[in-house]
């Protein structure tokens, strides 16, 4: 067979050669050890937390070595694509502060010298390399119909042989030029397949940066390189793109491990240097139904979508901090030793990633987030809450804007001290957290250990002792003194020793005042709350509670 003739028959319009592209995309000029990594999602519009995780890990790997991180859109599977699919990805990365050096910035704009960074714009490049493979006898057209492929599969099943298009089952391998020409003339659709040089006896080995050494049988399948519409398969596009774009480390989900023999073979045949591979295990979740573990699922788990974190207002820093704890198990230790250090100072290592799937734990993220938010100053809490509310709770945003100083004061309660409170895990929590400052209680969580008459007595007495200008130091002793005068123990301990002698203790008294003012039993420091509300408002609320108890 005259391969050159065949190549021209299949690709009459392709006039460039691989050498042209090698020149157009020269080797990157980077320091030794610098990693070039990429995030290469399909534009399905949905950014899975596992995708964000992969992007984050890839960005860390590049950034920590002075390399390049880029975003490539893999849109060769038109069936999976959705409108504005790129936007969801670009915004998802942006919302979490993951910056790209190169790649797609929107559906149409990009930055960088190694583009186009969208696969559907690279058709000619793939075809050029494919033409060259045909020329060198490493690829051929295949006209098998779906039905013929099904027959092959049935025969293989009957013979208890591996499924696929290989060896004697690869019928179109041996078509003559005339047969091919004839079929093409008649308009028969065809794919272009790899003529795999693999052998079933041989094995391949590679050193996965996460999973360690992996050994697998060599690829023998004549996999499809170009589909009937001339669009490449993932395998072929991966080899061409990661080569031309100079990727040094392919960091991707471990569902691709089984295809690694195909990829290594393609790099080899194409004469490309193979990249390092790092296969990330999927993020797992405890399955409440079975007690076992399962993959975090787009369908079942709202927290699988990165929009979940943004919409609920988890600060991006907290999410990234959490992702680092599941990426490198030594991160928590580092963080404990360096509580105030910037997380970029942590030496991230692919080799320290979990080989099995990391377990996703929303409670842990909640803890990290609370710890993060409790250390913020009140102005930052205000501005971050406002930014979130403007997007997701416009009425709350207006309230915050109209009452700026008051809101900042609210966020300042028990903040900035040694043991700040950890009430807020996400900006969404601030709606409930601030509610009683803006609206008077509609219901009261009064305890039932005291009678209404006792509670009314407490509130009336409190009104007579509370003054507008008292300090925090003066306040509590006053409440204690008043409690003792009304027949309550001055401390819970004292009450517990001799409950018969008291109506309750000072804590019960403070709770009555707290519930009267806020409606709730559990709040931050009551003194600070009353100072924030102001004297008149506090007294008005106590009166309203007395009315409620009298009714
Ligand atoms: N487009 C592929 C996917 O979304 C990318 C895999 C890779 O990173 O190579 O699974």
């Amino acid at each position: 067979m005259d391969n050159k003739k065949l190549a021209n028959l299949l690709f009459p319009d392709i006039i460039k050669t691989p050498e042209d592209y090698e020149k157009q995309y020269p080797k990157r000029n980077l320091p030794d050890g610098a990693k070039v990594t990429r995030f290469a999602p399909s534009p399905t519009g949905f950014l899975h937390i596992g995708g964000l995780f992969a992007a984050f890990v890839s960005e860390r790997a590049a950034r920590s070595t002075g390399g390049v991180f880029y975003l490539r859109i893999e849109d060769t599977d038109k069936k999976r694509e959705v409108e504005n699919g790129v936007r969801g990805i670009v915004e998802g990365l942006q919302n979490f502060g993951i910056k790209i050096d190169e790649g797609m910035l929107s559906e149409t704009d990009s930055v960088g010298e190694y583009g186009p960074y969208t696969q559907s714009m690279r058709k000619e490049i793939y075809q050029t390399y494919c033409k060259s493979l045909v020329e060198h006898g490493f690829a051929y057209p295949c006209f098998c119909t779906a039905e013929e492929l099904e027959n092959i599969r049935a025969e293989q099943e009957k013979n208890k042989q591996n499924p696929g298009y290989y060896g004697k089952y690869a019928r179109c391998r041996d078509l003559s030029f005339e047969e091919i020409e004839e079929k093409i003339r008649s308009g028969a659709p065809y794919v272009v397949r790899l003529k795999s040089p693999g052998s079933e006896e041989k094995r391949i080995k590679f050193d996965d940066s996460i999973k360690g050494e992996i050994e697998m049988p060599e690829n023998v399948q004549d996999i499809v390189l170009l589909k009937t519409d001339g669009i490449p398969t993932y395998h072929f596009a991966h080899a061409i793109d990661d080569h031309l774009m100079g990727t040094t480390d392919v960091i991707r989900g471990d569902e691709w491990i089984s295809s690694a023999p195909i990829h290594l073979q393609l790099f080899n045949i194409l004469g490309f240097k193979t990249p390092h591979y790092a296969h990330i295990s999927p993020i797992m979740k405890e399955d409440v139904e079975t007690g076992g573990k399962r993959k975090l699922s787009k369908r079942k788990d709202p927290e699988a979508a990165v929009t979940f974190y943004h919409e609920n207002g988890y600060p991006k820093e907290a999410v990234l901090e959490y992702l680092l704890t599941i990426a490198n198990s030594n991160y928590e230790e580092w963080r404990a030793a360096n509580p105030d250090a910037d997380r970029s100072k942590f030496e991230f290592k692919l080799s320290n990633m979990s080989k099995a799937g990391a377990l996703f734990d929303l409670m842990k993220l909640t803890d990290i987030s609370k710890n993060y938010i409790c250390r913020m100053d009140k102005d930052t809490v205000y501005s971050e809450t406002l930014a979130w509310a403007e997007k997701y709770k416009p009425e709350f945003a207006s309230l915050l804007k109209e009452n700026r100083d008051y809101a900042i004061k609210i966020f300042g309660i028990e903040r900035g001290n040694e043991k700040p409170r950890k009430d807020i895990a996400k900006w969404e929590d601030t709606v409930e957290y601030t509610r009683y400052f803006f609206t008077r209680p509609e219901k009261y969580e009064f305890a039932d250990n005291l009678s209404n008459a006792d509670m009314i007595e407490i509130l009336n007495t409190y009104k007579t002792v509370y003054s507008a200008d008292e300090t925090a130091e003066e306040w509590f002793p006053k409440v204690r003194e008043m409690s003792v005068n009304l027949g309550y123990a001055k401390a819970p301990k004292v009450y517990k020793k001799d409950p018969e002698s008291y109506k309750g203790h000072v804590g019960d008294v403070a709770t009555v005042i707290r519930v009267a003012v806020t409606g709730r039993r559990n709040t931050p420091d009551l003194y600070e709350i009353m100072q924030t509300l102001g004297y008149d408002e506090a007294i008005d609320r106590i009166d309203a509670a007395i009315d409620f108890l009298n009714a």
Side-chain angles (χ1 to χ4, degrees):
M1 158 94 68
D2 183 342
N3 289 326
K4 205 161 172 102
K5 215 163 120 195
L6 176 61
N8 283 328
L9 174 70
L10 299 180
F11 301 99
D13 302 329
I14 296 295
I15 42 171
K16 280 195 182 170
T17 65
E19 290 68 42
D20 294 325
Y21 288 111
E22 299 297 328
K23 268 193 224 123
Q24 191 179 328
Y25 302 100
K27 257 185 125 103
R28 291 169 182 273
N29 193 3
L30 289 169
D32 274 357
K35 290 191 196 313
V36 178
T37 63
R38 82 295 193 276
F39 180 44
S42 299
T44 56
F46 178 89
L47 186 54
H48 191 282
I49 183 77
L52 182 74
F53 184 55
F56 178 56
V57 163
S58 306
E59 186 239 23
R60 276 296 89 219
R63 215 60 87 217
S64 64
T65 54
V68 173
F69 170 64
Y70 69 91
L71 172 64
R72 180 172 71 225
I73 298 298
E74 305 212 324
D75 59 347
T76 56
D77 186 355
K78 291 288 167 197
K79 283 195 283 299
R80 292 179 58 207
E81 204 170 323
V82 300
E83 217 180 314
N84 295 328
V86 177
R87 198 164 76 198
I89 289 158
V90 168
E91 280 178 6
L93 294 183
Q94 266 167 8
N95 287 341
F96 288 91
I98 298 181
K99 292 203 181 68
I100 59 165
D101 301 302
E102 290 176 18
M104 297 315 289
L105 299 169
S106 70
E107 220 83 28
T108 47
D109 295 338
S110 67
V111 57
E113 301 290 315
Y114 288 78
Y117 294 92
T118 295
Q119 288 184 330
S120 57
M121 318 251 312
R122 302 172 62 80
K123 210 167 154 181
E124 197 186 332
I125 305 178
Y126 306 121
Q127 296 192 351
T128 303
Y129 279 87
C130 195
K131 181 174 186 181
S132 160
L133 285 182
V134 174
E135 259 174 41
H136 291 90
F138 280 121
Y140 63 91
C142 166
F143 299 88
C144 286
T145 59
E147 197 190 337
E148 282 169 310
L149 293 176
E150 181 48 39
N151 290 341
I152 292 176
R153 209 189 55 80
E155 196 182 329
Q156 286 164 335
E157 202 162 281
K158 202 179 76 204
N159 298 341
K160 297 200 166 32
Q161 281 174 316
N162 290 335
Y165 206 82
Y166 62 93
K168 69 168 184 177
Y169 295 107
R171 291 184 189 149
C172 292
R173 252 192 188 210
D174 302 319
L175 293 179
S176 68
F177 181 81
E178 290 68 31
E179 283 169 306
I180 294 173
E181 197 178 32
E182 165 59 30
K183 283 180 191 285
I184 288 182
R185 254 200 212 119
S186 72
Y190 64 92
V191 298
V192 181
R193 285 185 186 271
L194 168 73
K195 194 181 276 180
S196 170
S199 134
E200 262 165 28
E201 278 77 57
K202 288 207 201 121
R203 296 177 75 78
I204 54 119
K205 259 194 208 162
F206 69 99
D207 204 7
D208 189 282
S209 306
I210 296 172
K211 310 244 178 195
E213 192 169 274
I214 294 182
E215 206 189 304
M216 291 166 120
E218 201 168 72
N219 173 54
V220 295
Q221 302 274 348
D222 284 0
I223 55 118
V224 174
L225 301 174
L226 294 183
K227 297 179 264 188
T228 48
D229 53 5
I231 300 283
T233 52
Y234 166 76
H235 308 304
F236 192 50
H238 154 50
I240 304 296
D241 290 348
D242 282 314
H243 164 67
L244 288 178
M245 296 180 183
T247 311
T248 61
D249 292 70
V250 170
I251 301 171
R252 62 185 178 187
D254 69 0
E255 69 273 21
W256 293 110
I257 282 197
S258 57
S259 311
I262 296 175
H263 303 153
L264 292 169
Q265 191 172 64
L266 282 173
F267 274 85
N268 205 358
I269 291 171
L270 288 157
F272 301 160
K273 182 169 183 265
T274 46
H276 296 289
Y277 284 102
H279 287 99
I280 304 182
S281 313
I283 294 182
M284 309 295 280
K285 174 173 173 147
E286 207 115 27
D287 190 343
V288 273
E289 279 158 35
T290 64
K293 282 202 236 168
R294 61 168 173 79
K295 277 193 213 172
L296 202 57
S297 130
K298 176 172 166 177
R299 212 165 30 85
K300 292 192 202 156
D301 310 309
E303 73 270 32
V306 294
T307 44
F308 168 86
Y309 304 91
H310 202 247
E311 283 163 14
N312 284 287
Y314 286 93
K316 67 169 192 256
E317 261 310 309
V319 176
L320 296 181
E321 180 93 7
Y322 176 62
L323 290 183
L324 260 179
T325 65
I326 59 173
N328 270 191
S329 57
N330 56 328
Y331 180 74
E332 274 186 278
E333 213 176 294
W334 177 86
R335 178 47 89 204
N338 305 279
D340 300 314
D342 190 297
R343 67 180 156 68
S344 64
K345 298 278 179 298
F346 171 72
E347 199 189 332
F348 172 79
K349 283 208 180 99
L350 283 174
S351 55
N352 280 346
M353 286 187 66
S354 149
K355 289 187 181 41
L359 201 58
F360 191 83
D361 180 354
L362 204 53
M363 287 311 288
K364 183 84 188 272
L365 168 62
T366 301
D367 279 349
I368 289 179
S369 197
K370 282 182 174 173
N371 275 320
Y372 177 70
I373 293 177
C374 82
R375 293 205 306 268
M376 281 181 171
D377 62 47
K378 58 184 179 196
D379 294 279
T380 312
V381 174
Y382 173 80
S383 57
E384 294 285 315
T385 300
L386 181 60
W388 168 81
E390 285 192 313
K391 215 157 178 190
Y392 298 109
K393 273 253 182 305
E395 284 152 54
F396 185 52
S398 311
L399 191 67
L400 291 172
K401 275 194 284 196
E402 282 157 26
N403 300 278
R404 185 173 182 278
D405 294 345
Y406 182 51
I408 292 176
K409 220 165 158 190
I410 297 169
F411 291 132
I413 292 175
E414 284 196 69
R415 188 172 290 279
N417 51 10
E418 220 155 87
K419 274 192 108 191
R421 281 182 68 95
K422 298 177 180 173
D423 300 290
I424 304 169
K426 50 191 191 301
W427 305 128
E428 215 250 333
D429 295 343
T430 59
V431 178
E432 256 329 284
Y433 181 78
T434 59
R435 187 181 302 280
Y436 59 81
F437 288 96
F438 292 108
T439 46
R440 290 191 175 173
E442 276 151 17
K443 49 185 195 325
Y444 296 95
E445 294 174 356
F446 284 118
D448 52 15
N449 58 340
L450 296 177
S451 67
N452 281 14
D454 285 336
M455 293 196 277
I456 291 167
E457 185 186 33
I458 289 172
L459 294 173
N460 276 323
T461 314
Y462 180 66
K463 272 172 62 185
T464 65
V465 304
Y466 178 46
S467 68
D469 50 6
E470 68 203 3
T471 64
E473 287 69 36
E474 288 161 354
W475 181 76
F476 192 68
K478 256 188 182 175
V479 175
R480 190 161 48 206
E481 192 189 321
M482 139 190 167
S483 303
V484 172
N485 290 342
L486 293 177
Y488 296 83
K490 65 176 182 192
K493 259 205 314 240
V494 177
Y495 173 72
K496 262 189 211 129
K497 260 194 219 143
D498 186 12
E500 299 305 312
S501 308
Y502 303 101
K503 289 199 233 171
H505 58 78
V506 62
D508 299 322
V509 173
T511 300
V512 172
I513 305 168
R514 186 187 305 277
V515 176
V517 172
T518 67
R520 301 180 193 180
R521 256 186 254 180
N522 214 329
T523 72
D525 184 71
L526 180 55
Y527 170 78
E528 284 197 51
I529 290 174
M530 287 190 296
Q531 289 300 110
T532 306
L533 286 170
Y535 179 83
D536 292 343
E537 176 65 15
I539 293 294
D540 282 355
R541 287 185 178 205
I542 289 170
D543 282 337
I546 293 172
D547 288 348
F548 170 83
L549 290 167
N550 267 325

